[in-house]
Amino acid sequence: MPETNPKGLTRLAFGGDYNPEQWPESVWQDDVRLMREAGVTMVSVGIFSWALLEPSPGEYDFGWLDRVLGLLHDNGIRVDLGTPTVAPPVWFYRNHPDALPVSADGVRYEFGSRGALCHSNADYRAAAANITTRLAERYGDHPALAMWHVHNEYGVPVSACYCDSCAAHFRRWLETTYGTVAAVNEAWGTAFWGQRYASFEDVNPPRTTPTVGNPGQALDYRRFADATMRENFCAERDILHRLAPGLPVTTNFMTALSQCDSVDYWAWGREVDIVTNDHYLITDGRRTHVNLAMAADLTRSVAAGAPWILLEHSTSGVNWQPRNPAKAPGQMARNSLAHVARGSEGAMFFQWRQSRRGAEKFHSAMVPHGGTGTRVWREVVELGASLDSLGPIRGTRTDADVAVLWDWHSWWAQNLDWRPSEDADPRERADAFYEALYDRHLTVDFAHPEADLTRYPMVVVPALYLMTEAAGNNLRDYVAGGGTLVVSYFSGIVDEHDAVHEGAYPGALRDVLGLTVEEFSPLLQGESVRVTGPGGELAGDVWTEFVVPRGAETVWTYADGLTAGHPAVTRHRLGEGTAWYVSTRLGPEGLDALLGRAAEDAAIAPRADLPRDVEVVRRSGGTGSYLFAINHTTADAKVPLESSGTELLTGERAAGRLAVPAGAVRVVRLDG
C-alpha cells in the first residue's frame, strides 16, 4: 500500500512550485542556498515540463531534471515530482490536433495556454501514460522523492469537451451507467418535448441548442466530464503505484467554491493517497479569511478528517483577478497558519521564484522580483521558522463542532437553466451559512448528504436542491436519533436525475421537516419581506414560499408580501431531535438568530467571550492538544484558555487568558 504521508518528510511541508527550467543553471545553486535559509522542506518540480522532457516524439532529455533532483537531495529538500500531463508539447498537438478540446458551440481551442485537453482523446491518454511511465521508471526510487503530483488542477480551465470523441465516450459511459437506452429516456424524462432516443448512437453531448436543452442530459454530462478526468488521473496513479511502490500519489485540488465548480471532490478524495489543495484569496471586498477557513474545512472534510497539505497559495498578490492587491504585513503567515489550524500539514506556494516572462509574471512568489531585500522575502523566512516550531502538531486532527452538508451534484443541478429564480444561488447560501457559523466561533466539517452524521450535535443544509431518497432518510434518522437539523429553502426538491420527487415539496425532506410547500414565490430584484417572531423583526429577500405546517410549529411569520401570514421559519420535533426550516433568504442578523435558536436545541454553548474575527481552532492527537488563536483584527485580543500550556511560536508559558496581538497567531500546546 502507498504511504499517506510524503516519504522522508520529517517536518511540516514548506516550499513551493520550483520551475528551474525558467532560469539559467547558474541560478540553481543560489536557489537551494536561499531554500536552506528560508527553511524550505519540499518543492514541487516538473509540472509543466513535458516539452523539455520529451522535446520531440520518443526523444527524451532527463539530464537537467537529474541535476535538479540531485541538487535538491544534496541540500536536504524533498521533492513532489509532477507528471507534466496538463501541458502537452506543441509537437503533440501538431500530430494530434483533435486532442484540443471543443466548446459546446463547436469551437476548437488552440494551443498556447495550459489545460487545453480533450480528456477522452485516445492519443492524449496514450502519450500521458507514456511520459508518466518514463518518469516512474527513471525516478521511482530516487532518494529525493517524497510523493508524486499528477497533472495540475483538474477542471481548470477546461473540464468538458464536446467533440466527437467525447460523444462516443459519453455513449459508452451512459451504457455502463444505465444499461439500456430506455433507462436513459426514463432518467432524463425525454418524453418531454419529444426527445426520446431509440439507441445510444442517437445521443450526443449537450451541445448548443436553440433554447434550453434537457436538464438530465446536462447534469449527466457534468458527471461524465468529471468521471473522465478522474479516469485519466487514476490511469497515471496506477502506473506510478506499479513502478514506484510505496510513494504516495496526489493531485492538487481547488476545493474553494470560489475557484472550481466542475469537480466532485467527494469522489476524488477517495482516489488520492494524500489530499492536497490550492487556495487563493478572492479579493472581492468580502472577508477573505472566512473564505480561506471555509476552503480549508472543506479540504479537510474531503480528506475524511485526515491531515492534508496546502500545496499552493500566494505570498502576496495574484495576477488573474480584475484588481490584485498585495497582502498586508503579516497576512501571509496568518493565512498560512490558518490553513494549518484547519488540518494542513504545512504551507506551500506558487511559486518559488517569481517569473520574468509568461502569463503569471506578476503573480507573487517566495523570491520576488526584488529579491531578498523585500518584505515578502523577510516574511517567507519568518514563516519557515514558525512552521519549523510547529512540528509537534504533525499527524493531529482538527476538532469540529458542527457539520454543513454539501454536494457538488446538487450545485451542478441547481445551476442549470430555467429555475424559479436566478438569484437563488447555492454557493451564496453556503457562504452565508458558513460565515454565520464562523462568527459563532464554530469549527465546521463538511459532509456528504448520505454520510454518517451521528457525531455532530447540529447539521446545517444551506442548499441541497438535489437530494436522493437515501439522503432524505439519512437526515430523518439523524434527527430522530437526537440531532438538530437546519435546512434552507429550495432543498430536497429533485432526485439524482433532476426529477421532482413525487408529491408536495420538499419531497425528500417533507417528513423530517414536518411541513409541505404549496408553492414557491421568489421575489423580484430589490424586493424584500419582513419576518416577525422571537426577538423582533428580521428581513428576507430573493425567495419566499407558501409553507403549510404538518406537525411543525411556526417560529417566525411573514409580515408582508404575497406570503404574509404564512410561516417563514418552522421547528419540528421528531423523535429525540429537532428540524428547523427557513423559507426565505435571511441576512447575517437573521441567520445568527436562527442558528442561535438551533444551537440551543443542540446544547451548543455560545462563545460570547471571543471577539469577532479572532479564530480559535483546536487540533488534537497522539502528541497532545493544540489551540490555534488567529487574530484577523487590528486590535490586540485575549483568548480564554481551558488549561495552561506552552506557546509554540514564542516558547512562552500561557495560562488564563492568552494574549494574541493584532494580526498575529498563537499556538498553545495545552497541558494534560
Side-chain angles (χ1 to χ4, degrees), residues 263-276:
V263 175
D264 175 7
Y265 286 116
W266 293 127
W268 284 76
R270 295 189 291 269
E271 301 295 347
V272 297
D273 299 324
I274 304 173
V275 167
T276 63

Side-chain angles (χ1 to χ4, degrees), residues 277-279 308-313 336 339 344-348:
N277 195 53
D278 298 351
H279 182 265
W308 54 279
I309 298 176
L310 175 66
L311 210 53
E312 286 185 28
H313 71 312
S336 300
H339 284 287
S344 178
E345 296 280 77
M348 297 180 66

Side-chain angles (χ1 to χ4, degrees), residues 440 442 458 484 486 580 594-606:
R440 297 187 72 82
L442 298 174
M458 185 164 74
T484 299
V486 181
W580 290 78
L594 167 65
L595 292 172
R597 292 290 302 274
E600 291 176 8
D601 283 345
I604 297 174

Side-chain angles (χ1 to χ4, degrees), residues 344-377:
S344 178
E345 296 280 77
M348 297 180 66
F349 296 89
F350 181 84
Q351 58 182 324
W352 165 250
R353 186 179 285 274
Q354 193 169 12
S355 301
R356 291 185 56 227
R357 299 173 176 84
E360 296 189 275
K361 57 183 169 287
F362 295 117
H363 190 295
S364 60
M366 298 176 78
V367 182
H369 289 146
T372 58
T374 59
R375 171 181 67 88
V376 165
W377 172 253

